[in-house]
Amino acid sequence: MYYKFNGFTQRLVGAAASTAYNPQKADGLPVHLKRGVPDKLLYRTTMALTIGGTIYCLVALYMASQPRSQK
Amino acid sequence: MAHQAHSYHMVDPSPWPIFGAAAALLTTSGLIMWFHYSSTTLLTMGLLSMLLVMLQWWRDVIRESTFQGHHTPTVQKGLRYGMILFITSEAFFFLGFFWAFFHSSLAPTPELGGQWPPTGVKPLNPLEVPLLNTAILLASGVTVTWAHHSITEGNRKQAIHALTLTILLGFYFTALQAMEYHEASFSIADSVYGSTFFVATGFHGLHVIIGSSFLTVCLLRLIKFHFTPNHHFGFEAAAWYWHFVDIIWLFLYMSMYWWGS
């Protein structure tokens, strides 16, 4: 957001919500990443949690299936 | 740019279905690790990822419908079918627990003392807090219908008031039920009486919490002008779910609380 002074009246540029995010813009982004950075962060967090968790789960289940190494 | 020659919504590729499946895997195996190995890491990861997937998936549905306009009448019809089928499946879920209750209570075994409630079990008085809870849920059914009418009539202030009242009644029910659970003289371990009572009312309570959350999201959307008088299916789905929760309670009250005491 900034002020444009080279006009007859001063105007505030980039303050309207529509300049920040337009859900219908044809930018090729899928809907789950449409807002840019916050979407990407959430997506990567979810992916890290699920994929990391799945690997941890498989390791835990493998260990649980061993007959003698139970605690 | 190519346009579709049909009124269905071909969604963008999305990671949420497979992440949701992974979250279910983590939650279920997390329960195993908790029950058998006293570790809650996996369960926590599962519940957290489940929450994240639900938030983002439903956020995307709101983006696709309210902000991108993809929900044509055809799409909405499909969503209506979907919600009806889901609620029907939940009805069958509860049917199982009612079956278990009647199986054990219609012909009480000698181990229970040949009677229902079993010997030594002091059931909750159906005319005290449970009756109040019945009144609360019935009233909340009225207020949610009031909210719906307000939305279709374009009356924003009344819609917000009615929906807020519905949610508050839902919280009141949950608080009272939690207090009842704490004060009950029997536990889930007290024979099949405790099992059937707490599993059935417990799952019902969970559904009240889910329904209250759904209604809360609808309230936030209502305040942010997402709904129009003619198009507000998210709210209708929440209202259907809430009525379902109310009806299940009525069956619970009549069978377990009243007949079973």
Side-chain angles (χ1 to χ4, degrees):
Chain A
M1 287 183 357
Y2 58 87
Y3 274 103
K4 258 177 94 161
F5 288 111
N6 58 337
F8 197 69
T9 48
Q10 290 167 4
R11 284 160 287 157
L12 189 61
V13 175
S18 56
T19 59
Y21 161 57
N22 180 5
Q24 295 176 16
K25 190 160 164 215
D27 53 11
L29 282 175
V31 72
H32 68 280
L33 295 170
K34 204 71 169 174
R35 287 195 91 157
V37 174
D39 288 358
K40 237 194 315 189
L41 288 173
L42 264 175
Y43 166 66
R44 287 183 181 177
T45 309
T46 313
M47 183 160 74
L49 206 52
T50 47
I51 294 182
T54 305
I55 296 169
Y56 175 48
C57 173
L58 294 171
V59 167
L61 287 173
Y62 173 75
M63 280 170 26
S65 62
Q66 301 301 307
R68 251 169 256 160
S69 42
Q70 281 180 19
K71 284 193 180 144
Chain B
M1 184 177 128
H3 289 92
Q4 60 187 44
H6 59 81
S7 53
Y8 294 94
H9 180 203
M10 306 304 288
V11 296
D12 292 336
S14 166
W16 310 130
I18 191 129
F19 284 172
L25 169 68
L26 298 187
T27 308
T28 45
S29 40
L31 281 170
I32 295 172
M33 297 309 280
W34 182 39
F35 290 162
H36 295 277
Y37 301 97
S38 299
S39 162
T40 52
T41 320
L42 209 47
L43 182 58
T44 314
M45 287 172 86
L47 291 173
L48 198 55
S49 48
M50 214 166 85
L51 188 67
L52 283 169
V53 167
M54 288 194 294
L55 279 172
Q56 291 172 93
W57 194 336
W58 285 324
R59 173 208 68 189
D60 287 352
V61 175
I62 293 173
R63 285 181 180 175
E64 290 160 359
S65 56
T66 306
F67 299 131
Q68 293 184 338
H70 287 294
H71 283 200
T72 62
T74 312
V75 171
Q76 211 194 109
K77 200 164 169 212
L79 291 171
R80 284 174 192 275
Y81 275 129
M83 193 66 194
I84 298 279
L85 288 171
F86 172 65
I87 291 176
T88 308
S89 77
E90 295 254 76
F92 279 108
F93 178 71
F94 277 98
L95 193 68
F97 295 119
F98 277 106
W99 184 343
F101 168 73
F102 282 115
H103 175 94
S104 301
S105 59
L106 283 167
T109 61
E111 287 86 351
L112 303 172
Q115 61 179 44
W116 192 275
T119 316
V121 170
K122 190 170 165 290
L124 298 165
N125 187 343
L127 298 174
E128 291 178 358
V129 174
L131 186 59
L132 174 59
N133 274 342
T134 307
I136 289 168
L137 283 185
L138 286 173
S140 70
V142 169
T143 53
V144 80
T145 308
W146 173 24
H148 191 192
H149 283 250
S150 302
I151 291 174
T152 46
E153 287 158 23
N155 193 333
R156 176 179 163 82
K157 197 174 73 156
Q158 281 202 25
I160 291 174
H161 286 169
L163 186 47
T164 306
L165 200 47
T166 310
I167 294 167
L168 288 174
L169 287 168
F171 284 163
Y172 189 25
F173 175 94
T174 305
L176 283 170
Q177 194 67 330
M179 194 207 72
E180 281 281 272
Y181 270 28
H182 184 69
E183 300 284 332
S185 64
F186 56 91
S187 79
I188 195 172
D190 285 319
S191 80
V192 74
Y193 183 89
S195 307
T196 50
F197 180 84
F198 282 109
V199 168
T201 59
F203 270 119
H204 174 262
L206 177 66
H207 283 69
V208 171
I209 292 168
I210 292 169
S212 301
S213 310
F214 195 171
L215 287 168
T216 306
V217 168
C218 285
L219 179 61
L220 293 169
R221 293 186 68 201
L222 177 61
I223 291 171
K224 290 165 83 98
F225 300 97
H226 286 202
F227 299 134
T228 73
N230 287 321
H231 192 167
H232 45 265
F233 177 66
F235 173 82
E236 289 184 66
W240 289 351
Y241 196 78
W242 192 250
H243 287 305
F244 161 72
V245 157
D246 187 7
I247 291 168
I248 293 290
W249 170 258
L250 293 175
F251 279 111
L252 277 174
Y253 180 73
M254 287 190 296
S255 54
M256 294 197 189
Y257 284 90
W258 197 353
W259 176 83
S261 69

